[in-house]
Short mmCIF file of all heavy atoms in Angstrom, two decimals:
data_model
loop_
_atom_site.label_atom_id
_atom_site.label_comp_id
_atom_site.label_asym_id
_atom_site.label_seq_id
_atom_site.Cartn_x
_atom_site.Cartn_y
_atom_site.Cartn_z
N ASP M 1 0.86 -1.18 0.00
CA ASP M 1 0.00 0.00 0.00
C ASP M 1 0.89 1.23 0.01
O ASP M 1 1.24 1.78 1.06
CB ASP M 1 -0.91 0.00 1.22
CG ASP M 1 -1.87 1.18 1.24
OD1 ASP M 1 -1.97 1.87 0.21
OD2 ASP M 1 -2.49 1.43 2.30
N THR M 2 1.32 1.65 -1.17
CA THR M 2 2.33 2.69 -1.42
C THR M 2 3.73 2.25 -0.98
O THR M 2 4.72 2.67 -1.56
CB THR M 2 1.98 4.07 -0.77
OG1 THR M 2 2.08 3.95 0.66
CG2 THR M 2 0.57 4.52 -1.15
N THR M 3 3.82 1.45 0.06
CA THR M 3 5.07 0.87 0.49
C THR M 3 4.86 -0.59 0.88
O THR M 3 3.72 -1.01 1.14
CB THR M 3 5.67 1.61 1.70
OG1 THR M 3 4.73 1.52 2.80
CG2 THR M 3 5.94 3.07 1.38
N PHE M 4 5.94 -1.35 0.93
CA PHE M 4 5.87 -2.70 1.42
C PHE M 4 5.68 -2.71 2.94
O PHE M 4 6.17 -1.79 3.64
CB PHE M 4 7.15 -3.50 1.09
CG PHE M 4 7.29 -3.82 -0.37
CD1 PHE M 4 8.26 -3.16 -1.15
CD2 PHE M 4 6.50 -4.76 -0.97
CE1 PHE M 4 8.43 -3.45 -2.48
CE2 PHE M 4 6.64 -5.07 -2.33
CZ PHE M 4 7.62 -4.41 -3.08
N SER M 5 5.04 -3.71 3.48
CA SER M 5 4.96 -3.85 4.92
C SER M 5 6.34 -4.09 5.51
O SER M 5 6.68 -3.61 6.57
CB SER M 5 4.02 -5.03 5.29
OG SER M 5 2.73 -4.78 4.89
N VAL M 6 7.15 -4.90 4.80
CA VAL M 6 8.51 -5.21 5.20
C VAL M 6 9.41 -4.99 4.01
O VAL M 6 9.16 -5.52 2.92
CB VAL M 6 8.62 -6.68 5.68
CG1 VAL M 6 10.05 -7.00 6.08
CG2 VAL M 6 7.68 -6.95 6.82
N SER M 7 10.45 -4.24 4.17
CA SER M 7 11.34 -3.90 3.05
C SER M 7 12.33 -5.01 2.76
O SER M 7 12.39 -6.01 3.48
CB SER M 7 12.08 -2.59 3.35
OG SER M 7 12.86 -2.73 4.53
N ALA M 8 13.12 -4.83 1.75
CA ALA M 8 14.16 -5.80 1.39
C ALA M 8 15.13 -5.96 2.60
O ALA M 8 15.34 -5.04 3.35
CB ALA M 8 14.94 -5.29 0.18
N PRO M 9 15.71 -7.14 2.79
CA PRO M 9 15.64 -8.30 1.88
C PRO M 9 14.52 -9.27 2.24
O PRO M 9 14.40 -10.32 1.60
CB PRO M 9 16.98 -8.96 2.12
CG PRO M 9 17.24 -8.71 3.58
CD PRO M 9 16.71 -7.33 3.86
N TYR M 10 13.68 -8.94 3.23
CA TYR M 10 12.73 -9.93 3.75
C TYR M 10 11.41 -9.96 2.97
O TYR M 10 10.96 -11.03 2.55
CB TYR M 10 12.45 -9.67 5.23
CG TYR M 10 13.66 -9.77 6.09
CD1 TYR M 10 14.23 -8.62 6.63
CD2 TYR M 10 14.30 -10.97 6.33
CE1 TYR M 10 15.37 -8.69 7.44
CE2 TYR M 10 15.45 -11.07 7.10
CZ TYR M 10 15.97 -9.92 7.67
OH TYR M 10 17.10 -9.99 8.43
N TYR M 11 10.77 -8.84 2.81
CA TYR M 11 9.49 -8.72 2.14
C TYR M 11 8.36 -9.46 2.86
O TYR M 11 7.31 -8.90 3.13
CB TYR M 11 9.57 -9.17 0.68
CG TYR M 11 10.48 -8.31 -0.15
CD1 TYR M 11 11.72 -8.79 -0.54
CD2 TYR M 11 10.07 -7.03 -0.54
CE1 TYR M 11 12.57 -7.99 -1.29
CE2 TYR M 11 10.94 -6.24 -1.30
CZ TYR M 11 12.19 -6.72 -1.68
OH TYR M 11 13.01 -5.93 -2.41
N ARG M 12 8.57 -10.69 3.18
CA ARG M 12 7.54 -11.49 3.86
C ARG M 12 7.79 -11.43 5.39
O ARG M 12 8.92 -11.37 5.84
CB ARG M 12 7.57 -12.94 3.38
CG ARG M 12 7.22 -13.05 1.91
CD ARG M 12 7.60 -14.41 1.31
NE ARG M 12 9.01 -14.72 1.38
CZ ARG M 12 9.91 -14.30 0.46
NH1 ARG M 12 9.53 -13.56 -0.54
NH2 ARG M 12 11.15 -14.63 0.60
N THR M 13 6.72 -11.46 6.12
CA THR M 13 6.82 -11.45 7.58
C THR M 13 6.82 -12.88 8.11
O THR M 13 6.25 -13.76 7.47
CB THR M 13 5.63 -10.70 8.20
OG1 THR M 13 4.41 -11.13 7.58
CG2 THR M 13 5.78 -9.20 8.04
N PRO M 14 7.42 -13.12 9.26
CA PRO M 14 7.29 -14.43 9.88
C PRO M 14 5.79 -14.75 10.10
O PRO M 14 5.02 -13.86 10.40
CB PRO M 14 8.03 -14.30 11.22
CG PRO M 14 9.02 -13.21 10.96
CD PRO M 14 8.32 -12.24 10.06
N VAL M 15 5.44 -15.97 9.93
CA VAL M 15 4.02 -16.35 10.05
C VAL M 15 3.53 -16.02 11.45
O VAL M 15 4.21 -16.20 12.43
CB VAL M 15 3.78 -17.84 9.74
CG1 VAL M 15 4.12 -18.13 8.29
CG2 VAL M 15 4.59 -18.73 10.66
N GLY M 16 2.31 -15.45 11.52
CA GLY M 16 1.74 -15.10 12.80
C GLY M 16 2.21 -13.78 13.37
O GLY M 16 1.87 -13.44 14.50
N THR M 17 2.97 -13.00 12.59
CA THR M 17 3.45 -11.71 13.07
C THR M 17 2.30 -10.80 13.50
O THR M 17 2.38 -10.10 14.50
CB THR M 17 4.28 -11.02 11.95
OG1 THR M 17 5.51 -11.70 11.80
CG2 THR M 17 4.57 -9.56 12.31
N PHE M 18 1.21 -10.82 12.73
CA PHE M 18 0.05 -9.96 13.05
C PHE M 18 -0.84 -10.71 14.06
O PHE M 18 -1.87 -11.26 13.71
CB PHE M 18 -0.69 -9.61 11.75
CG PHE M 18 0.20 -8.91 10.76
CD1 PHE M 18 0.71 -9.60 9.66
CD2 PHE M 18 0.59 -7.58 10.92
CE1 PHE M 18 1.52 -8.97 8.74
CE2 PHE M 18 1.42 -6.94 10.03
CZ PHE M 18 1.89 -7.63 8.93
N SER M 19 -0.40 -10.69 15.29
CA SER M 19 -0.93 -11.58 16.32
C SER M 19 -2.36 -11.28 16.73
O SER M 19 -3.02 -12.13 17.33
CB SER M 19 -0.02 -11.54 17.57
OG SER M 19 0.07 -10.21 18.04
N ASN M 20 -2.85 -10.10 16.44
CA ASN M 20 -4.24 -9.75 16.77
C ASN M 20 -5.10 -9.65 15.52
O ASN M 20 -6.17 -9.04 15.53
CB ASN M 20 -4.29 -8.42 17.53
CG ASN M 20 -3.71 -8.56 18.93
OD1 ASN M 20 -3.92 -9.57 19.63
ND2 ASN M 20 -2.94 -7.57 19.34
N SER M 21 -4.65 -10.27 14.43
CA SER M 21 -5.35 -10.18 13.14
C SER M 21 -5.71 -11.56 12.63
O SER M 21 -5.61 -11.86 11.42
CB SER M 21 -4.47 -9.44 12.13
OG SER M 21 -4.22 -8.14 12.56
N ALA M 22 -6.16 -12.43 13.52
CA ALA M 22 -6.57 -13.79 13.13
C ALA M 22 -7.94 -13.74 12.45
O ALA M 22 -8.76 -12.84 12.67
CB ALA M 22 -6.64 -14.69 14.34
N SER M 23 -8.23 -14.75 11.64
CA SER M 23 -9.58 -14.93 11.11
C SER M 23 -10.49 -15.40 12.23
O SER M 23 -10.02 -15.81 13.31
CB SER M 23 -9.55 -15.99 9.98
OG SER M 23 -9.42 -17.30 10.54
N PRO M 24 -11.81 -15.41 12.03
CA PRO M 24 -12.71 -15.88 13.07
C PRO M 24 -12.44 -17.33 13.52
O PRO M 24 -12.80 -17.70 14.64
CB PRO M 24 -14.10 -15.74 12.44
CG PRO M 24 -13.95 -14.60 11.48
CD PRO M 24 -12.55 -14.77 10.92
N TYR M 25 -11.79 -18.13 12.67
CA TYR M 25 -11.47 -19.50 13.06
C TYR M 25 -10.06 -19.63 13.63
O TYR M 25 -9.66 -20.69 14.11
CB TYR M 25 -11.60 -20.44 11.84
CG TYR M 25 -13.03 -20.70 11.44
CD1 TYR M 25 -13.63 -20.01 10.42
CD2 TYR M 25 -13.79 -21.67 12.13
CE1 TYR M 25 -14.95 -20.25 10.05
CE2 TYR M 25 -15.10 -21.90 11.78
CZ TYR M 25 -15.68 -21.19 10.75
OH TYR M 25 -17.00 -21.42 10.40
N GLY M 26 -9.27 -18.53 13.59
CA GLY M 26 -7.97 -18.54 14.24
C GLY M 26 -6.78 -18.76 13.31
O GLY M 26 -5.69 -19.08 13.78
N THR M 27 -6.95 -18.55 12.03
CA THR M 27 -5.82 -18.63 11.09
C THR M 27 -5.13 -17.29 10.98
O THR M 27 -5.72 -16.23 11.27
CB THR M 27 -6.26 -19.07 9.69
OG1 THR M 27 -7.14 -18.06 9.16
CG2 THR M 27 -6.98 -20.42 9.74
N PHE M 28 -3.88 -17.29 10.52
CA PHE M 28 -3.11 -16.07 10.34
C PHE M 28 -2.61 -15.98 8.89
O PHE M 28 -2.29 -16.99 8.27
CB PHE M 28 -1.95 -16.00 11.31
CG PHE M 28 -2.38 -15.80 12.73
CD1 PHE M 28 -2.66 -16.88 13.54
CD2 PHE M 28 -2.52 -14.52 13.25
CE1 PHE M 28 -3.07 -16.69 14.85
CE2 PHE M 28 -2.93 -14.31 14.56
CZ PHE M 28 -3.21 -15.41 15.37
N ASP M 29 -2.55 -14.77 8.39
CA ASP M 29 -1.91 -14.46 7.10
C ASP M 29 -2.66 -15.04 5.89
O ASP M 29 -2.05 -15.24 4.84
CB ASP M 29 -0.44 -14.95 7.07
CG ASP M 29 0.38 -14.36 8.18
OD1 ASP M 29 0.38 -13.11 8.33
OD2 ASP M 29 1.01 -15.14 8.91
N GLN M 30 -3.96 -15.28 6.02
CA GLN M 30 -4.69 -15.67 4.80
C GLN M 30 -4.91 -14.47 3.89
O GLN M 30 -5.32 -14.63 2.76
CB GLN M 30 -6.03 -16.34 5.17
CG GLN M 30 -5.83 -17.76 5.67
CD GLN M 30 -7.10 -18.59 5.66
OE1 GLN M 30 -7.78 -18.74 6.66
NE2 GLN M 30 -7.44 -19.17 4.51
N GLY M 31 -4.61 -13.30 4.40
CA GLY M 31 -4.56 -12.10 3.57
C GLY M 31 -3.15 -11.55 3.55
O GLY M 31 -2.64 -11.08 4.55
N GLY M 32 -2.49 -11.62 2.38
CA GLY M 32 -1.13 -11.10 2.25
C GLY M 32 -0.05 -12.13 2.54
O GLY M 32 -0.32 -13.32 2.70
N ASN M 33 1.15 -11.67 2.57
CA ASN M 33 2.36 -12.48 2.76
C ASN M 33 2.67 -13.27 1.50
O ASN M 33 3.61 -12.96 0.78
CB ASN M 33 2.28 -13.40 4.00
CG ASN M 33 3.53 -13.37 4.82
OD1 ASN M 33 4.42 -12.57 4.62
ND2 ASN M 33 3.61 -14.24 5.83
N VAL M 34 1.94 -14.33 1.20
CA VAL M 34 2.07 -15.02 -0.09
C VAL M 34 0.68 -15.49 -0.56
O VAL M 34 -0.20 -15.79 0.26
CB VAL M 34 2.99 -16.26 -0.02
CG1 VAL M 34 4.44 -15.84 0.12
CG2 VAL M 34 2.58 -17.19 1.11
N TRP M 35 0.49 -15.52 -1.88
CA TRP M 35 -0.66 -16.19 -2.41
C TRP M 35 -0.61 -17.64 -1.96
O TRP M 35 0.47 -18.22 -1.81
CB TRP M 35 -0.67 -16.14 -3.95
CG TRP M 35 -0.91 -14.80 -4.53
CD1 TRP M 35 0.02 -13.88 -4.91
CD2 TRP M 35 -2.19 -14.23 -4.86
NE1 TRP M 35 -0.59 -12.77 -5.44
CE2 TRP M 35 -1.94 -12.96 -5.45
CE3 TRP M 35 -3.51 -14.68 -4.75
CZ2 TRP M 35 -2.97 -12.11 -5.87
CZ3 TRP M 35 -4.54 -13.84 -5.18
CH2 TRP M 35 -4.26 -12.57 -5.73
N GLU M 36 -1.77 -18.27 -1.80
CA GLU M 36 -1.82 -19.67 -1.32
C GLU M 36 -2.62 -20.51 -2.31
O GLU M 36 -3.73 -20.19 -2.70
CB GLU M 36 -2.43 -19.71 0.07
CG GLU M 36 -1.64 -18.96 1.10
CD GLU M 36 -2.28 -18.94 2.47
OE1 GLU M 36 -3.23 -19.74 2.72
OE2 GLU M 36 -1.88 -18.09 3.32
N TRP M 37 -2.00 -21.63 -2.70
CA TRP M 37 -2.65 -22.57 -3.61
C TRP M 37 -3.93 -23.14 -2.99
O TRP M 37 -4.00 -23.37 -1.79
CB TRP M 37 -1.72 -23.75 -3.94
CG TRP M 37 -0.56 -23.46 -4.81
CD1 TRP M 37 0.76 -23.51 -4.48
CD2 TRP M 37 -0.60 -23.13 -6.20
NE1 TRP M 37 1.55 -23.21 -5.55
CE2 TRP M 37 0.74 -22.98 -6.64
CE3 TRP M 37 -1.63 -22.93 -7.13
CZ2 TRP M 37 1.09 -22.66 -7.95
CZ3 TRP M 37 -1.30 -22.59 -8.44
CH2 TRP M 37 0.03 -22.47 -8.85
N ASN M 38 -4.93 -23.42 -3.86
CA ASN M 38 -6.03 -24.29 -3.47
C ASN M 38 -6.26 -25.31 -4.58
O ASN M 38 -5.58 -25.27 -5.64
CB ASN M 38 -7.29 -23.47 -3.12
CG ASN M 38 -7.85 -22.67 -4.30
OD1 ASN M 38 -8.25 -23.22 -5.32
ND2 ASN M 38 -7.85 -21.35 -4.15
N GLU M 39 -7.16 -26.23 -4.37
CA GLU M 39 -7.35 -27.33 -5.34
C GLU M 39 -8.19 -26.94 -6.56
O GLU M 39 -8.27 -27.74 -7.51
CB GLU M 39 -8.03 -28.52 -4.64
CG GLU M 39 -7.15 -29.32 -3.73
CD GLU M 39 -7.83 -30.57 -3.21
OE1 GLU M 39 -9.09 -30.69 -3.32
OE2 GLU M 39 -7.14 -31.44 -2.68
N GLU M 40 -8.81 -25.80 -6.55
CA GLU M 40 -9.74 -25.43 -7.60
C GLU M 40 -9.11 -25.53 -8.99
O GLU M 40 -8.00 -25.04 -9.25
CB GLU M 40 -10.24 -24.02 -7.38
CG GLU M 40 -11.31 -23.56 -8.36
CD GLU M 40 -12.67 -24.23 -8.13
OE1 GLU M 40 -12.82 -24.90 -7.10
OE2 GLU M 40 -13.57 -24.04 -8.96
N VAL M 41 -9.84 -26.20 -9.90
CA VAL M 41 -9.46 -26.23 -11.32
C VAL M 41 -10.16 -25.05 -11.98
O VAL M 41 -11.38 -25.09 -12.21
CB VAL M 41 -9.85 -27.57 -11.97
CG1 VAL M 41 -9.58 -27.52 -13.46
CG2 VAL M 41 -9.07 -28.71 -11.32
N VAL M 42 -9.44 -24.00 -12.25
CA VAL M 42 -10.03 -22.77 -12.78
C VAL M 42 -10.17 -22.84 -14.30
O VAL M 42 -11.12 -22.29 -14.88
CB VAL M 42 -9.18 -21.54 -12.36
CG1 VAL M 42 -9.75 -20.25 -12.94
CG2 VAL M 42 -9.12 -21.45 -10.83
N SER M 43 -9.23 -23.49 -14.94
CA SER M 43 -9.25 -23.68 -16.39
C SER M 43 -8.50 -24.96 -16.72
O SER M 43 -8.10 -25.69 -15.82
CB SER M 43 -8.58 -22.48 -17.09
OG SER M 43 -7.18 -22.52 -16.86
N ASP M 44 -8.29 -25.23 -17.99
CA ASP M 44 -7.57 -26.44 -18.38
C ASP M 44 -6.13 -26.43 -17.88
O ASP M 44 -5.49 -27.46 -17.77
CB ASP M 44 -7.57 -26.60 -19.90
CG ASP M 44 -8.94 -26.95 -20.45
OD1 ASP M 44 -9.80 -27.41 -19.66
OD2 ASP M 44 -9.15 -26.77 -21.67
#
């Protein structure tokens, strides 16, 4: 958002860094850090 959350050389944060930003089920980093694969077949 105009800047990276974490600058070079890291870019990604350690998992769980945003300790008060869990999903309602208790997961962390489902928004941001890295895209995450799922099983969906979107195209051929």
Side-chain angles (χ1 to χ4, degrees):
D1 182 13
T2 69
T3 60
F4 290 108
S5 296
V6 179
S7 60
Y10 300 108
Y11 295 106
R12 297 165 299 276
T13 46
V15 296
T17 290
F18 302 103
S19 58
N20 291 320
S21 299
S23 76
Y25 287 99
T27 64
F28 290 89
D29 303 308
Q30 285 197 262
N33 226 8
V34 288
W35 290 93
E36 298 176 14
W37 288 114
N38 63 62
E39 285 187 345
E40 185 73 9
V41 174
V42 178
S43 70
D44 290 342

